Structure formats: structure tokens, C-alpha cells
Amino acid sequence: MEKIHFYHSPVGLLVLGEEDGFLTRVSFHKGINTPYIIESTPLLEKTEKQLKEYFKGERIAFDVPLRPMGTDFQKKVWKALQSIPYGSTASYGDIARQVGTEKAFRAVGMANNKNPLAIVIPCHRVIGSDGKLVGYGGGLENKVFLLSHETKYRK
């Protein structure tokens, strides 16, 4: 059963989840549809610490063990998202090409929307092909905040 911990971040209340020693969730609190236990663990505390460092501009990458739950295609997309450098962006089309499905940018968008590890797997760095900010599960205002934050602290 997933153990969860709540973190009050600059982008709102985040739910951090762990199962079997792997981070399984960093989500904006909108309700949890799976069984869980509220329990702080060393991994969840480490994740919160790293998120705090990220928000202070002291961390550009996370080093916690991840286990995002999804389809093989979603996992491929989420892996590609992790290759987008801190402070940079890529389009849905860029990610579709990277995962070998050039015309599947809509499917990439759906996988992006299902990302269970917001911020840690940086789906906020994906933009429309015209350079516009489109969609974000945590709200467009948080996407703007995260991208501006990364631009400010880019080294």
C-alpha cells in the first residue's frame, strides 16, 4: 500500500507517495483514488528536502528512486521528459520524435497529463509547437511559476 506525505510547497499542497522504497507520486492535491496510509518515511522526507532545495534554486535534478506507474508508452514519454534540461523547454512534437512516434504528439500530451511525478519528472517543461504554454495538471499558473523559477536559477 502506498504511503503518502503532504508537503506545502510554493505551488500548493503536494502529495508525495512511496511504495516499496520507490517514489510513486508527486501530485497536486486533488483527491487520491487509491488506497494509502499517511506516514512519513525516510524517502518521502528526502523527497521533500530535495523539493525544498529545488524551490530555493539550490537543486536542478532529483536523486530519489522512481517508480512511475503507467503503460510502456507513458513510461517512455516520462523518461524522455527527464532529458529536458533544467530551465529549458521542449514541444510535444519534440518528445514524440524522441520516443520514435513522430506523429503521436497528442498521445505524448496524454502521457504528459498522466505523469504521476510532477516536478520530479518535469512535465511542466513541455510546451506547444508554437512556443505557447499549454495545459498543466497543476494549473497553468503553476507551470508559469515553475518555468520562471527555473529560468531565474538556471546556471
Side-chain angles (χ1 to χ4, degrees):
M1 184 173 300
E2 186 177 38
K3 296 174 184 168
I4 65 166
H5 173 78
F6 296 98
Y7 164 51
H8 293 276
S9 80
V11 292
L13 184 63
L14 296 176
V15 181
L16 312 181
E18 172 192 344
E19 220 172 308
D20 301 323
F22 291 91
L23 189 66
T24 54
R25 177 194 309 262
V26 175
S27 64
F28 293 88
H29 188 255
K30 294 180 181 168
I32 303 168
N33 300 325
T34 56
Y36 63 89
I37 300 169
I38 297 175
E39 180 181 325
S40 190
T41 68
L43 175 60
L44 295 177
E45 289 171 7
K46 180 178 182 180
T47 302
E48 180 177 340
K49 178 181 183 287
Q50 289 189 12
L51 283 163
K52 286 178 178 177
E53 292 167 352
Y54 168 85
F55 285 115
K56 288 180 188 173
E58 299 169 353
R59 174 173 292 279
I60 63 171
F62 298 89
D63 66 354
V64 292
L66 309 179
R67 185 185 292 153
M69 305 301 242
T71 67
D72 288 343
F73 178 76
Q74 288 170 334
K75 290 176 186 177
K76 193 186 270 193
V77 169
W78 300 334
K79 185 76 171 164
L81 297 179
Q82 293 176 73
S83 72
I84 305 170
Y86 178 91
S88 299
T89 57
S91 72
Y92 292 100
D94 293 336
I95 300 300
R97 283 186 288 284
Q98 188 173 340
V99 300
T101 55
E102 187 172 333
K103 297 187 190 285
F105 55 90
R106 281 195 175 92
V108 165
M110 292 305 295
N112 205 42
N113 179 262
K114 299 292 184 190
N115 173 18
L117 294 166
I119 304 169
V120 174
I121 295 179
C123 55
H124 61 277
R125 296 180 189 155
V126 182
I127 60 173
S129 59
D130 58 2
K132 291 186 178 173
L133 301 183
V134 292
Y136 185 59
L140 211 48
E141 69 283 353
N142 283 333
K143 184 172 190 160
V144 169
F145 175 89
L146 292 168
L147 291 173
S148 297
H149 168 78
E150 290 185 6
T151 299
K152 177 180 175 182
Y153 289 105
R154 185 175 21 200
K155 299 183 174 27

